[in-house]
Amino acid sequence: IAIVPFFTFVVRKVNLKQTRVQLSTYDALGCGFLREKDMENFIFEMIPTLPQLNSLQEEFYPFYVFTAVRKFFFFLDPKRTGRVRIRDLLSSPILPEMYELRQERPPGEESEHRAEQNWFSMKSALKVYGLYLYLDVDQNGMLSKSELSRYHSAMLSDVFIDRVFEEYQTYRDAETGECEMDYKTFLDFVLAMESKNSRQAIQYFWKLIDIHHQGYIDGFVITYFFRAIPKLLQSKTPDIATVDDVKCEIFDMVKPKTPGIITLEDLVECGQGGTVLSMLIDAAAFWRYDNRESLMMEQDEDDLSL
């Protein structure tokens, strides 16, 4: 037996056992799963042990904890049961992503880029929280529809934003009577927007686009969402695809099992669910998709010039 692979295997097994024991100490009910509060305690006590978070200010600890915990629950608790099985935590790639912060970050652009891609890095957490503060124009600690609509350069459709506030947890402002979104709900929104092709994100968006709660969408629903996209693109381009063209394109991309209707499983299994969703809710994403060939040609020309 080769000694290096064997040693690596043993170390991995030992680390897994240690992590299982460590997580089990936070299992307050002793049922093999962690509730949100349990995970918050785990993350909070992990912060001082992660060298890459050494410069994180204590005042930001609660917001960092919220930010970190939401990723675990978004991907490992898509049915919103309020708990995550320890077994799922150990087998998911999310925990190793957080444990990357145990290593001192070397200098250099590659390391900087890696930090930006790691949801648990200080840079990423501060970026997400900074975005929340930027969107919170009236600085009341919550986001209204008009404030959330500024996300992604204000290219998300009003129809989509309305559905987010209809389906996901919000709080009614005592003075204005307007529903507003807190930081935790915003984190779910960001995670879904940044991982549209994942099954969990598609499930998140499905709740929004299945407007009749009938388990499928059809041409009517596609029309309902897409008709808001041309309005956002009028100033950018006069030549916009028709609704009928878009419907045909989407059905051709998804290839649903039942002609004329698209189910959640169709959207997941087609491998292009994220692209289809983007076409219906994000004007900038639709424009990029509709002009993908010319954009690729421009990129090729730029590469040749280099």
Side-chain angles (χ1 to χ4, degrees):
I1 301 175
I3 188 65
V4 174
F6 178 71
F7 179 75
T8 303
F9 170 78
V10 172
V11 169
R12 188 182 298 118
K13 280 291 185 181
V14 170
N15 287 339
L16 189 63
K17 289 287 186 183
Q18 290 177 337
T19 303
R20 181 185 290 276
V21 171
Q22 183 182 25
L23 290 171
S24 296
T25 62
Y26 293 90
D27 180 8
L29 301 179
C31 296
F33 58 77
L34 300 184
R35 300 165 300 174
E36 189 167 344
K37 185 61 180 176
D38 300 328
M39 278 299 297
E40 288 176 355
N41 291 335
F42 168 66
I43 298 294
F44 187 85
E45 293 180 16
M46 278 290 294
I47 293 175
T49 72
L50 302 173
Q52 291 191 34
L53 299 181
N54 283 344
S55 58
L56 190 68
Q57 296 182 352
E58 285 192 30
E59 308 90 78
F60 188 67
Y61 277 19
F63 298 102
Y64 178 84
V65 169
F66 293 153
T67 305
V69 169
R70 284 326 301 163
K71 180 157 188 175
F72 287 102
F73 276 81
F74 182 84
F75 286 102
L76 302 180
D77 182 33
K79 294 184 178 179
R80 305 295 188 267
T81 64
R83 61 189 189 183
V84 173
R85 293 186 301 179
I86 291 176
R87 183 174 62 188
D88 293 337
L89 282 167
L90 292 170
S91 62
S92 83
I94 304 175
L95 207 55
E97 181 185 357
M98 188 182 74
Y99 281 158
E100 285 182 13
L101 305 185
R102 286 174 166 175
Q103 307 298 321
E104 293 284 356
R105 187 159 64 96
E109 289 185 12
E110 184 177 343
S111 176
E112 189 77 12
H113 176 70
R114 190 174 181 83
E116 289 177 357
Q117 299 302 310
N118 189 322
W119 176 264
F120 300 99
S121 70
M122 185 173 71
K123 185 168 187 176
S124 173
L126 290 172
K127 179 181 176 182
V128 174
Y129 186 64
L131 175 59
Y132 185 76
L133 295 180
Y134 165 74
L135 296 174
D136 183 18
V137 177
D138 61 11
Q139 299 182 350
N140 71 341
M142 307 281 277
L143 299 184
S144 63
K145 286 183 184 179
S146 61
E147 288 172 331
L148 185 64
S149 67
R150 299 171 66 226
Y151 182 91
H152 197 45
S153 303
M155 294 302 280
L156 300 177
S157 73
D158 290 343
V159 175
F160 168 62
I161 297 295
D162 286 344
R163 289 294 295 148
V164 172
F165 278 78
E166 288 171 9
E167 293 293 341
Y168 288 105
Q169 186 173 8
T170 55
Y171 302 87
R172 193 172 297 278
D173 186 285
E175 295 182 6
T176 65
E178 185 178 8
C179 288
E180 296 189 313
M181 173 186 292
D182 70 353
Y183 185 54
K184 289 185 179 181
T185 305
F186 175 72
L187 288 170
D188 283 341
F189 177 82
V190 173
L191 284 162
M193 291 295 295
E194 292 187 355
S195 57
K196 289 195 190 80
N197 279 313
S198 70
R199 184 183 185 91
Q200 294 86 347
I202 292 174
Q203 286 177 312
Y204 176 95
F205 290 115
W206 182 260
K207 190 174 179 180
L208 306 177
I209 66 173
D210 183 15
I211 56 177
H212 299 305
H213 303 288
Q214 54 194 7
Y216 65 85
I217 63 171
D218 53 18
F220 173 83
V221 174
I222 293 174
T223 300
Y224 176 78
F225 279 95
F226 182 74
R227 65 185 180 185
I229 298 299
K231 296 176 184 176
L232 291 168
L233 292 175
Q234 283 176 350
S235 61
K236 191 176 183 69
T237 174
D239 186 20
I240 303 172
T242 66
V243 173
D244 288 337
D245 287 341
V246 171
K247 282 193 288 188
C248 290
E249 181 80 3
I250 287 176
F251 277 105
D252 187 54
M253 292 166 68
V254 177
K255 296 180 175 58
K257 294 175 183 176
T258 303
I261 64 172
I262 295 172
T263 65
L264 171 61
E265 287 305 314
D266 289 330
L267 210 53
V268 171
E269 292 174 5
C270 74
Q272 300 190 74
T275 302
V276 170
L277 290 164
S278 295
M279 292 167 66
L280 296 176
I281 66 174
D282 183 341
F286 173 77
W287 183 86
R288 287 194 298 272
Y289 175 81
D290 201 35
N291 293 274
R292 60 195 180 282
E293 293 180 0
S294 59
L295 291 173
M296 288 176 63
M297 289 176 62
E298 289 177 9
Q299 180 64 47
D300 291 341
E301 290 173 1
D302 290 340
D303 292 342
L304 288 171
S305 67
L306 294 175

